[in-house]
Amino acid sequence: MGSEGPGLDRTAIMRMLEPEAVIGRDLVMMGEVGSTNDEVKRFGEEGVEEGVVVFEEAQTAGRGRGAAKWVSRAGEGLMRA
């Protein structure tokens, strides 16, 4: 998997992770997404292996609890799922 968004350096991030770790076994770098959780759900439905971590440059339609909305412009935040 492991695509790369415009400002993300997959190789540098992978060097910082423990090689035996389950979380971070694979990294997916994306540009702009609607919802990080929607992307993670889609990967699960496609059979992506446990431990994948998704990074994105910007999130435009994230959702929190209740009616909370999560928006992150490129370079202004760190969203994770």
Side-chain angles (χ1 to χ4, degrees):
M1 198 168 267
S3 59
E4 195 160 313
L8 299 168
D9 185 341
R10 183 179 195 280
T11 303
I13 294 169
M14 289 297 289
R15 277 196 302 260
M16 291 184 269
L17 298 173
E18 296 292 326
E20 303 84 27
V22 171
I23 296 176
R25 182 179 294 160
D26 191 15
L27 303 179
V28 176
M29 313 300 212
M30 304 179 86
E32 183 177 291
V33 299
S35 164
T36 306
N37 282 336
D38 287 347
E39 294 300 321
V40 171
K41 180 180 177 184
R42 180 175 61 86
F43 292 143
E45 291 168 350
E46 292 174 359
V48 172
E49 192 172 349
E50 176 184 31
V52 67
V53 176
V54 178
F55 288 92
E56 75 280 333
E57 292 287 334
Q59 176 175 268
T60 60
R63 300 173 307 278
R65 291 183 182 197
K69 296 189 186 322
W70 292 87
V71 175
S72 177
R73 292 182 207 59
E76 292 185 1
L78 176 62
M79 302 289 148
R80 54 127 176 97

